[in-house]
C-alpha cells in the first residue's frame, strides 16, 4: 500500500478538511413554483426564505432559474445584470437584503445573468452581511436530445462558465454547481480536494432524466467524496413548457438520503452534522487508498 502514493492522486495534494465554523446547523431547500410573473416570483421567493429563517435555517437554498420560466425564449427577457445591481438586478438585490436582515447564508439558486452581450445561468451566494460572496456560472450547458422524450439546448442562448466555485461561509466551505454540472464527477472531486464540506446543486431535472438519475447522481457525488450534497428544484408545473421533476434533497456523506420531498411546492428543513464527515472518512478511508501511482486529478486553478 505504501507504493500507492495516495497523496499524488490529487495535484496539488488535497487540502485537509478545514474545521467548520459550526458543528451543525439547519438547511432549508425551498422548492418553489415558478411563473411567468417575475415580480411575483421574487416576492414569493422572499417569503419562502424569510419563513425558513424564522424556522431556524442558517443556510437557505433556492432552485435553478427561479425568477423566470425555463426556456431559451425567456432567458434574454428575464436576464439581469448582477454586477450592476440595483434596478438592473432586482432578484439579487432581494437576496442580499434578506441575507442581511435575517443574518443567514443564501445559495440563491440561479437566474439568467446578462454580462455584456452574453447570457449565463448564474448562482449567487450571499453571506450573513448581505454581501455577494461568490458567483457561479453554470459550467456544463444542458444540451440534450433524447428523441421522443426531451430535447433542449441551453447553448442556443447561454454561454458556459469557466470557473469552478468554492466559497467559505458562516456554515462551512461550499462548492457550487448548477443542474447539469452534477453529472460531471470531476467537478465534485475538485471541490472535495479543495476541502468542501457541502456541495450545493440548484437544478431542474426533467421528467425523463429525473426519475432515472436525479437521486442517483446526488448520492454518487456525496458517497464518492464523503461530504454533503444538497439539491433544490423548482416545483413541478405540468402546464409549463419545461416540466421539472422536483424532489429537492439533502444527502449525507455516506450517500444516505437525509431529507427529500416530492414534486409539489415545499420547503425542506434538515440538519447538517459535520461530525458525520469525519466519521465516514474514518470508517471508509478512501483518501488513504487512492492509487496516485495510477491516476491523478489535476486542479489547474491551484
Amino acid at each position: 500500500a505504501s507504493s500507492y502514493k495516495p497523496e499524488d492522486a490529487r495535484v496539488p495534494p488535497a487540502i485537509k478538511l478545514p474545521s467548520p465554523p459550526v458543528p451543525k446547523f439547519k438547511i432549508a431547500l425551498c422548492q418553489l413554483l415558478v411563473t411567468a410573473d417575475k415580480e411575483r416570483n421574487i416576492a414569493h421567493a422572499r417569503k419562502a426564505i424569510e419563513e425558513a429563517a424564522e424556522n431556524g435555517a442558517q443556510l437557505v437554498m433556492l432552485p435553478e432559474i427561479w425568477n423566470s420560466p425555463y426556456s431559451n425564449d425567456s432567458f434574454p427577457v428575464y436576464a439581469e445584470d448582477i454586477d450592476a445591481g440595483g434596478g438592473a438586478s432586482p432578484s439579487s438585490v432581494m437576496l442580499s437584503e434578506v441575507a442581511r436582515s435575517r443574518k443567514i447564508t443564501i445559495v440563491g439558486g440561479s437566474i439568467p445573468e446578462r454580462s455584456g452581450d452574453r447570457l449565463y445561468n448564474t448562482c449567487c451566494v450571499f453571506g450573513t452581511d448581505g454581501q455577494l460572496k461568490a458567483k457561479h456560472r453554470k459550467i456544463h450547458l444542458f444540451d440534450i436530445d433524447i428523441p421522443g422524450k426531451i430535447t433542449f439546448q441551453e447553448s442556443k442562448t447561454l454561454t458556459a462558465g469557466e470557473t469552478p466555485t468554492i466559497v467559505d461561509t458562516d456554515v462551512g466551505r461550499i462548492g457550487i454547481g448548477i443542474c447539469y454540472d452534477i453529472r460531471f464527477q470531476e467537478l465534485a472531486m475538485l471541490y472535495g480536494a479543495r476541502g468542501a464540506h457541502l456541495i450545493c446543486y440548484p437544478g431542474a431535472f426533467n421528467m425523463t432524466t429525473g426519475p432515472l438519475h436525479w437521486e442517483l447522481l446526488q448520492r454518487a457525488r456525496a458517497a464518492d467524496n464523503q461530504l454533503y450534497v444538497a439539491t433544490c428544484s423548482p416545483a413541478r408545473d405540468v402546464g409549463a413548457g419545461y416540466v421539472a421533476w422536483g424532489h429537492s434533497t439533502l444527502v449525507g456523506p455516506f450517500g444516505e438520503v437525509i431529507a427529500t420531498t416530492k414534486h409539489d411546492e415545499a420547503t425542506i428543513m434538515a440538519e447538517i452534522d459535520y461530525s458525520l464527515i469525519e466519521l465516514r472518512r474514518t470508517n471508509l478511508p478512501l483518501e488513504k487508498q487512492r492509487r496516485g501511482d495510477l491516476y491523478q486529478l489535476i486542479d489547474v486553478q491551484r
Side-chain angles (χ1 to χ4, degrees):
S2 61
S3 66
Y4 292 173
K5 299 183 179 178
E7 68 281 358
D8 291 342
R10 299 286 187 268
V11 179
I15 294 170
K16 179 176 170 45
L17 189 72
S19 296
V22 291
K24 59 180 68 173
F25 67 94
K26 282 187 179 179
I27 184 174
L29 312 175
C30 299
Q31 183 166 289
L32 303 175
L33 187 66
V34 179
T35 72
D37 185 337
K38 185 175 182 179
E39 289 186 4
R40 177 266 177 200
N41 294 335
I42 294 172
H44 191 56
R46 177 191 286 270
K47 182 180 178 183
I49 296 168
E50 290 178 339
E51 288 178 352
E54 288 169 4
N55 288 321
Q58 292 173 261
L59 172 62
V60 180
M61 183 176 168
L62 297 184
E64 180 184 26
I65 306 294
W66 59 267
N67 70 347
S68 160
Y70 187 90
S71 74
N72 280 315
D73 289 339
S74 297
F75 295 152
V77 177
Y78 289 75
E80 300 182 6
D81 187 338
I82 295 169
D83 292 338
S89 187
S91 299
S92 62
V93 167
M94 181 275 288
L95 296 178
S96 172
E97 290 174 351
V98 178
R100 182 179 64 253
S101 65
R102 300 290 176 163
K103 293 182 170 51
I104 57 173
T105 299
I106 297 177
V107 175
S110 77
I111 64 172
E113 178 197 8
R114 185 180 300 281
S115 180
D117 60 354
R118 294 184 176 184
L119 298 177
Y120 297 92
N121 185 341
T122 300
C123 175
C124 293
V125 181
F126 290 91
T128 56
D129 58 359
Q131 294 299 306
L132 179 65
K133 295 184 71 70
K135 187 171 72 170
H136 177 79
R137 291 169 169 168
K138 189 173 187 177
I139 294 173
H140 306 92
L141 296 183
F142 180 61
D143 287 358
I144 184 173
D145 183 16
I146 303 176
K149 296 289 186 179
I150 177 71
T151 298
F152 200 96
Q153 281 192 302
E154 277 189 326
S155 63
K156 283 185 176 180
T157 54
L158 301 179
T159 299
E162 298 290 340
T163 308
T165 305
I166 195 158
V167 54
D168 286 311
T169 74
D170 287 358
V171 291
R173 184 168 292 177
I174 302 175
I176 305 292
I178 299 174
C179 200
Y180 206 54
D181 286 340
I182 199 173
R183 289 191 177 273
F184 299 88
Q185 65 268 38
E186 297 88 350
L187 181 62
M189 291 163 67
L190 284 179
Y191 291 155
R194 293 184 188 187
H197 301 103
L198 164 70
I199 306 177
C200 289
Y201 293 102
F205 269 42
N206 56 74
M207 298 298 292
T208 298
T209 60
L212 289 169
H213 300 150
W214 180 238
E215 182 181 301
L216 172 69
L217 290 167
Q218 296 171 58
R219 297 184 67 191
R221 300 294 85 83
D224 287 348
N225 297 287
Q226 298 177 308
L227 42 66
Y228 282 90
V229 166
T231 61
C232 191
S233 168
R236 190 179 306 171
D237 178 1
V238 295
Y242 181 95
V243 182
W245 171 240
H247 296 265
S248 303
T249 303
L250 176 67
V251 180
F254 223 35
E256 73 278 23
V257 173
I258 295 172
T260 190
T261 188
K262 295 185 179 179
H263 61 267
D264 292 328
E265 191 168 70
T267 293
I268 303 168
M269 297 284 296
E271 183 177 78
I272 287 180
D273 181 351
Y274 284 139
S275 69
L276 289 181
I277 296 180
E278 290 288 1
L279 175 63
R280 297 312 183 193
R281 293 184 180 189
T282 299
N283 295 156
L284 196 63
L286 300 182
E287 279 303 310
K288 298 177 181 178
Q289 299 166 335
R290 297 192 188 279
R291 293 294 301 270
D293 56 319
L294 298 179
Y295 51 76
Q296 292 180 329
L297 173 76
I298 300 174
D299 188 343
V300 296
Q301 285 189 315
R302 288 205 296 130

